[in-house]
Amino acid sequence: MTKSATRLRMIMSLLSAFYLNTACTTPRDDSGSTAVPASPYAYCEKVRTMDSPEAVMLNSANTEEIVQALKRGRILDASANFTSTDACRWRCMDGSVYACCTGANLPCDVKADTSRTPSHGMTQYCTENPNTPSIPAYATGRATVYLWKCSGTTPVADKQVLQLDKRGYQVDFWHRVGPG
């Protein structure tokens, strides 16, 4: 194969990858438009359901809009100060905006872990602490929906303590918010 044919093949591969990525991630309305609405609420109304809209809509104005909605709903204290665009995450479900602000033990960035298979950290904890009635979050992971305990040196999912929405996120941490 000649150098120019190799170069052309590489360019075509890159263009193809770009097209596929754009086609799969850019929201389109019924008319085929890819225009991105300015507000999270208009965006969610348009795309209906998306777990990671920040990839398209991440900016401080949107974060501030979400924080203000959480304060209006008394989900956040009025004096709460979130300055980072990563402090509060939001997503779209059924055309509505759902938000979660990070804090101690709040896994906003992942779906809930419903696995009943013990992790390496749990196994190690139970080996070192047999018959412990509760395995701490640093060993279980913060996304688990279960309380775990050690039965001898074996980790056991004791009971489910967190509920999930239909997208697999923990309902205690994610809140539906509306525009002002």
Side-chain angles (χ1 to χ4, degrees):
M1 189 179 295
T2 67
K3 277 187 175 181
S4 60
T6 301
R7 188 176 298 147
L8 180 60
R9 177 180 258 173
M10 186 170 55
I11 290 170
M12 293 304 288
S13 292
L14 289 171
L15 287 173
S16 178
F18 174 77
Y19 172 76
L20 287 173
N21 187 42
T22 302
C24 293
T25 61
T26 303
R28 297 175 187 276
D29 62 21
D30 292 338
S31 69
S33 169
T34 59
V36 177
S39 93
Y41 306 103
Y43 183 80
C44 287
E45 190 174 301
K46 184 175 186 175
V47 300
R48 306 297 303 154
T49 299
M50 180 179 273
D51 290 343
S52 299
E54 294 100 343
V56 177
M57 297 285 293
L58 181 64
N59 66 51
S60 59
N62 287 335
T63 298
E64 182 59 28
E65 190 170 354
I66 298 298
V67 167
Q68 292 308 314
L70 289 165
K71 287 179 180 181
R72 281 191 305 277
R74 294 193 175 112
I75 297 161
L76 283 181
D77 184 82
S79 64
N81 185 18
F82 288 93
T83 55
S84 166
T85 54
D86 290 333
C88 292
R89 296 189 177 277
W90 60 277
R91 62 188 173 89
C92 306
M93 186 167 67
D94 299 330
S96 296
V97 174
Y98 285 76
C100 175
C101 291
T102 58
N105 300 326
L106 298 182
C108 296
D109 57 341
V110 295
K111 289 187 177 186
D113 179 2
T114 59
S115 174
R116 289 182 170 272
T117 303
S119 69
H120 174 73
M122 292 179 215
T123 302
Q124 183 176 351
Y125 184 86
C126 288
T127 299
E128 296 170 3
N129 303 280
N131 295 312
T132 303
S134 179
I135 302 175
Y138 76 83
T140 64
R142 308 225 183 276
T144 186
V145 298
Y146 303 109
L147 286 179
W148 287 81
K149 66 181 181 179
C150 300
S151 178
T153 58
T154 303
V156 176
D158 192 16
K159 64 181 177 178
Q160 184 171 338
V161 292
L162 295 171
Q163 300 305 309
L164 310 180
D165 65 24
K166 67 183 182 179
R167 300 289 304 156
Y169 291 93
Q170 297 173 1
V171 297
D172 296 326
F173 307 145
W174 285 90
H175 307 278
R176 183 176 178 194
V177 295

